Amino acid sequence: DQQVKQNSPSLSVQEGRISILNCDYTNSMFDYFLWYKKYPAEGPTFLISISSIKDKNEDGRFTVFLNKSAKHLSLHIVPSQPGDSAVYFCAARAGTASKLTFGTGTRLQVTL
Amino acid sequence: EAGVAQSPRYKIIEKRQSVAFWCNPISGHATLYWYQQILGQGPKLLIQFQNNGVVDDSQLPKDRFSAERLKGVDSTLKIQPAKLEDSAVYLCASSRGINTGELFFGEGSRLTVL
């Protein structure tokens, strides 16, 4: 049972344009959401997070939007840069002591 | 600040053999996690330690997988005997506390079972 879904395995965006990565979840108990970025042969690194009490969180070029009624979150990267090319994982947690559940990832390719 | 250290980076074994992976978390991080990432999938939690106690091992195949964190610092994950479906990257992560959402991951140990 895949509770966190990233339906787009890959995404290609031109440098300077906006990248939008999507994530859907099914567990209504999830109250904290995170995005991780992973380069080849490296472990995932934390990018940005959002609590369920908010609907937007911004950090520089990265903004995460949460739509609780639709059980959907998205990561916006503006402007996209070639160094943003990586696999992005969405993750969610139900309560402060519970484990993170990860999606399957979206591979972002930012082209020149 | 040194990151999460893992070894070995790569391991190739035949099915039914055994293998062990080692992890040293970031200094001062009380919580340590082992994740399994199969190709094309997201990381799946195998076991979570708080200091040297197990918090969650509900998805650990206990008939073949074992993990320990004896002194509350570094940890070892063992597979015995290995199966073909155990081919994956084994990621170790740590966090300051059990309630902290942000995990710091190591580079992973890639296991290939032939």
Side-chain angles (χ1 to χ4, degrees):
Chain A
D1 176 29
Q2 190 71 28
Q3 296 187 60
V4 179
K5 300 177 184 179
Q6 295 177 255
N7 293 317
S8 298
S10 63
L11 175 68
S12 183
V13 172
Q14 276 192 321
E15 181 181 12
R17 307 291 282 264
I18 183 171
S19 294
I20 299 176
L21 295 93
N22 294 304
C23 178
D24 297 294
Y25 62 96
T26 58
N27 188 342
S28 57
M29 299 301 292
F30 286 149
D31 63 357
Y32 192 68
F33 304 88
L34 306 90
W35 285 93
Y36 281 81
K37 178 169 73 173
K38 185 183 183 303
Y39 292 118
E42 294 184 13
T45 56
F46 170 76
L47 189 58
I48 192 169
S49 63
I50 188 167
S51 166
S52 60
I53 62 173
K54 295 184 176 181
D55 55 17
K56 176 182 174 181
N57 188 27
E58 195 171 351
D59 184 3
R61 297 185 297 114
F62 302 91
T63 303
V64 56
F65 295 92
L66 175 62
N67 182 333
K68 289 186 290 292
S69 61
K71 294 190 176 67
H72 176 85
L73 65 157
S74 60
L75 174 67
H76 293 210
I77 306 173
V78 184
S80 301
Q81 299 175 354
D84 296 330
S85 297
V87 177
Y88 290 79
F89 290 98
C90 170
R93 188 186 69 188
T96 54
S98 75
K99 66 187 178 196
L100 286 181
T101 299
F102 283 82
T104 53
T106 296
R107 181 178 301 277
L108 173 66
Q109 179 74 36
V110 179
T111 58
L112 298 174
Chain B
E1 178 180 67
V4 176
Q6 289 188 247
S7 67
R9 289 295 309 277
Y10 304 93
K11 189 75 176 180
I12 301 174
I13 61 173
E14 295 191 347
K15 60 184 179 184
R16 291 187 289 273
Q17 287 186 323
S18 63
V19 63
F21 302 110
W22 173 83
C23 172
N24 191 35
I26 293 173
S27 176
H29 280 194
T31 311
L32 185 147
Y33 313 78
W34 282 102
Y35 280 83
Q36 179 193 57
Q37 186 179 10
I38 294 172
L39 188 64
Q41 299 181 19
K44 183 184 83 171
L45 180 69
L46 293 176
I47 190 167
Q48 176 181 345
F49 292 95
Q50 175 70 10
N51 296 310
N52 60 348
V54 175
V55 174
D56 185 343
D57 64 356
S58 58
Q59 297 189 100
L60 185 74
K62 298 180 184 64
D63 57 333
R64 298 183 301 104
F65 286 65
S66 65
E68 59 184 15
R69 192 185 185 199
L70 292 175
K71 296 181 180 178
V73 181
D74 56 349
S75 175
T76 302
L77 175 70
K78 296 179 181 177
I79 307 174
Q80 182 179 12
K83 292 186 175 182
L84 297 177
E85 58 261 36
D86 298 332
S87 294
V89 176
Y90 291 86
L91 293 162
C92 179
S94 69
S95 64
R96 292 185 180 87
I98 196 168
N99 296 329
T100 304
E102 181 183 347
L103 273 58
F104 295 83
F105 283 88
E107 294 179 321
S109 295
R110 180 178 295 277
L111 173 65
T112 301
V113 182
L114 302 175

